[in-house]
Amino acid sequence: MNLDVNADPAELAKFSELAHRWWDLDGEFRPLHEINPLRLEWIEGIAPVSGRRVVDVGCGGGILADAMARRGADVLGIDLAGKALKVAQLHALEAGTQGVKYQEISAEALAAAQPAGFDAVTCMEMLEHVPEPAYVVRACAELVKPGGWVFFSTINRNAKAFLAAIVGAEYVLGMLPKGTHEYRKLIRPSELAAYARAAGLEVRHVRGMQYNPITRRYWLSADTDINYLMAARRPTEAA
């Protein structure tokens, strides 16, 4: 496999078609806007981003990348969905966000070009959309400096997650467009942890993300049955 094209054309097309809606707070990407403060605070609680060089892998329209830049990080957002990146760039211009740039490149290609080039790597709600998530995890491990952190978030694969994240969120509540997620592509925490360890990362934190559809409130918990976040650290090199 050519690792520079570890992407599903159908997935890229899906998100490109919705590119103009990325910053519509009441549109298809509303859930990402609603969880963004929670996931940003979680990242900051482990590794503050101010003054750090961060790459956001699979940045889409730049929701997290823009927020980290506003916290003082030097952010590079990367994605293979060109239309979404154009929206992200336009939003940064309109909002006057400093310290964020975007590039159409895969994680694997960037890792080859800038190994150990970043203090932290974020890869949120992206792994479940690529053919070979383990390759992306390995690229993230290669991108981060020794001692740096890699942050992932994705969806578990079990009956509860299928009912809540696919049937409930996409078909009943209409929180996400139908077909956003495919059950077979969802990733169990044990699988993601195995990918991370195989890439040389140390898994340090795993948290579940809960949601109340009535209050539209999100919070972190120990329940990783549906949405979850994982923080892993690249060991420091021996002197």
Side-chain angles (χ1 to χ4, degrees):
M1 169 180 280
N2 180 352
L3 298 189
D4 287 353
V5 290
N6 179 18
D8 183 339
E11 293 283 351
L12 295 178
K14 183 192 317 179
F15 288 103
S16 290
E17 287 173 7
L18 295 170
H20 63 291
R21 303 296 297 274
W22 272 100
W23 288 92
D24 180 352
L25 301 185
D26 293 314
E28 289 89 341
F29 296 105
R30 189 189 79 196
L32 292 182
H33 289 280
E34 291 178 342
I35 67 173
N36 200 51
L38 183 67
R39 62 187 183 178
L40 181 57
E41 290 305 320
W42 177 73
I43 291 167
E44 286 267 72
I46 297 171
V49 300
S50 181
R52 303 296 183 181
R53 189 167 188 239
V54 183
V55 59
D56 185 22
V57 175
C59 66
I63 296 171
L64 178 60
D66 194 273
M68 290 192 294
R70 288 181 175 275
R71 289 289 180 94
D74 176 11
V75 184
L76 173 63
I78 67 170
D79 207 301
L80 291 176
K83 289 183 180 179
L85 288 179
K86 288 184 174 65
V87 170
Q89 291 167 336
L90 179 60
H91 180 269
L93 287 172
E94 292 178 340
T97 305
Q98 301 295 314
V100 62
K101 296 179 181 178
Y102 296 99
Q103 184 177 355
E104 187 172 339
I105 188 173
S106 69
E108 293 88 344
L110 185 65
Q114 298 189 47
F118 298 87
D119 298 298
V121 178
T122 57
C123 182
M124 318 298 260
E125 288 76 45
M126 181 266 199
L127 291 174
E128 68 272 23
H129 298 290
V130 299
E132 298 290 348
Y135 294 168
V136 176
V137 172
R138 185 170 65 194
C140 290
E142 293 170 353
L143 282 164
V144 76
K145 297 176 181 178
W149 288 87
V150 182
F151 299 95
F152 301 105
S153 68
T154 188
I155 304 174
N156 204 336
R157 188 177 73 256
N158 55 41
K160 183 176 177 181
F162 173 74
L163 290 173
I166 296 180
V167 177
E170 297 181 19
Y171 292 87
V172 178
L173 299 176
M175 293 170 57
L176 297 168
K178 294 180 177 66
T180 297
H181 295 107
E182 295 180 42
Y183 179 74
R184 65 181 179 85
K185 290 185 176 181
L186 303 184
I187 304 168
R188 295 187 177 108
S190 60
E191 294 169 338
L192 181 52
Y195 298 156
R197 294 187 183 106
L201 297 172
E202 299 173 345
V203 177
R204 295 291 186 87
H205 306 280
V206 181
R207 296 289 282 167
M209 192 157 43
Q210 310 299 310
Y211 175 67
N212 184 320
I214 298 175
T215 63
R216 286 169 57 170
R217 186 176 74 87
Y218 289 86
W219 68 96
L220 298 182
S221 78
D223 184 353
T224 60
D225 284 351
I226 305 174
N227 297 83
Y228 66 96
L229 306 106
M230 183 176 292
R233 190 168 180 263
R234 179 174 174 177
T236 54
E237 295 173 342

